[in-house]
Amino acid sequence: MKVLVVGSGGREHALVTCIAKSPRVDKIYCAPGNAGIAKLAECVDIGVMEFDRLTDFALKEEIDLTVVAPDDPLVAGAVDAFEAKGLRAFGPRANAAVLEGSKAFSKDLMKKYKIPTAAYENFDNADDALKYLETARMPIVLKADGLALGKGVLICNTLEEAKEGVKSIMLDKKFGNAGNRMVIEEFMTGREVSVLTFVDGKTVRPMTSAQDHKRAGDGDTGLNTGGMGTFSPSPFYTKEVDEFCMKNIYQPTVDAMTAEGRPFKGVIFFGLMLTDDGPKVLEYNARFGDPEAQVVLPRMNNDIIDVMEACIDGRLDETELDFNDNAAVCVVLASEGYPVKYEKGFEIRGLDRFEGQDSYYCFHAGTKLKDGKIVTNGGRVLGVTALGDDLKQARSNAYEAVKWIDFDNKYCRSDIGKAIDEA
Ligand code: AMP
Ligand code: GLY
């Protein structure tokens, strides 16, 4: 069969790598893809939001299945656009992707269906939000309602900071229209875990757990980024936690969406915090995480096409997921200065070391081909993933493989997976 993947980052490279393993797949296309993806798929120069061109391409090439990976097109209705032309697509329709697209929607859903999450209030004007803050306990968390590249969350320690935050989100529109509404919520403490799940509208099947490192600097300092590294599984995500989440969070979320007339098919990414009062939802995403996919998918034994089709056809109850009992660590290689200001266009050396390896992967995030050479083309450039028998071995393998790669202004965190030592 022919598969089209929509997207261009490290997550999409991990997805394409996983899809390429399926014996059912003859040909993969990726729109727009990147220089690494181009080794496994034919990249087509169509943007992720160009729904007419994407669907025309899928019709012309007789694509059997399209996988829409990023949040923006999902929330804007990419899957609906494919379905409207009679094409099969994996991912939630717009009315279900709102689970990620609107934080106010997701908080109201959790409240209505008693799914554990931080206490909160929604606001659609700055005056009410500022008034609410006067009596609120600090620290407090401010969230722009809409999509903001994972950056629309402010944690404020003082009332002054919180007031400035409300102004920047709602009045100065720091995150654009994402800030037309906002959520103000209770600050929680605990360990964070990411759990990606396959969902078919009724059944939910969790994949293995992972943990992300969002801050730019070692010791979780510096600015929030798209993600500087991940490890999988999380040693803190025990069997008891999994059972609690299945009963109180995963299944209730899937049932709530169906009850609301918004059946969710695709991947729900549960961002969890393991608090002293039990696991609570930090956020939902309507897609695979980036760079969570880069540590979760290399550990999966299933044919991912079978699982995706089971989601689309409502047959997930017949499918068991199968993950290797090993571990993976992904270290993101970024351009010095990311996420603020950085240079691009530097030649990347050492990529061939990864060829033919089955325990090491170099997923491309921001790269491009220039005059026959692969050069840096973004803030996050590569994700180096290594497998190991356990987390410590995976981490040491990943940091060994980081040395294979060289480019000007190469930057990475040196403490990805440090939490492993505390387990
Ligand atoms: P989100 O995009 O909602 O996951 O938020 C980004 C990050 O902000 C999370 O990964 C947490 O580290 C932090 N965060 C979000 N909500 C809270 C909260 N209620 N309490 C503490 N930290 C939070
Ligand atoms: N790694 C977090 C995300 O994909 O949103």
Side-chain angles (χ1 to χ4, degrees), residues 21 87 99 146 151 160 221 258 268-269 288 318 331 375-376:
K21 286 196 264 175
L87 294 159
L99 193 60
K151 301 194 177 87
E160 281 315 301
T221 55
T258 299
I268 301 183
F269 165 145
F288 287 96
E318 298 164 16
V331 178
V375 300
T376 63

Side-chain angles (χ1 to χ4, degrees), residues 11 100 150 194 212 214 226-227 230 269 283 285 287-292:
R11 166 185 52 206
E100 170 167 7
S194 303
D212 186 11
K214 288 205 170 83
T230 34
F269 165 145
E283 63 160 348
N285 294 312
R287 52 173 174 81
F288 287 96
D290 187 342
E292 282 85 350

Side-chain angles (χ1 to χ4, degrees), residues 103 141 143 153 185-188 192 214 282-283:
K103 291 196 191 281
V141 183
K143 299 186 174 185
V153 175
E185 72 175 28
E186 167 204 8
F187 177 76
M188 302 189 288
E192 287 186 40
K214 288 205 170 83
L282 277 172
E283 63 160 348

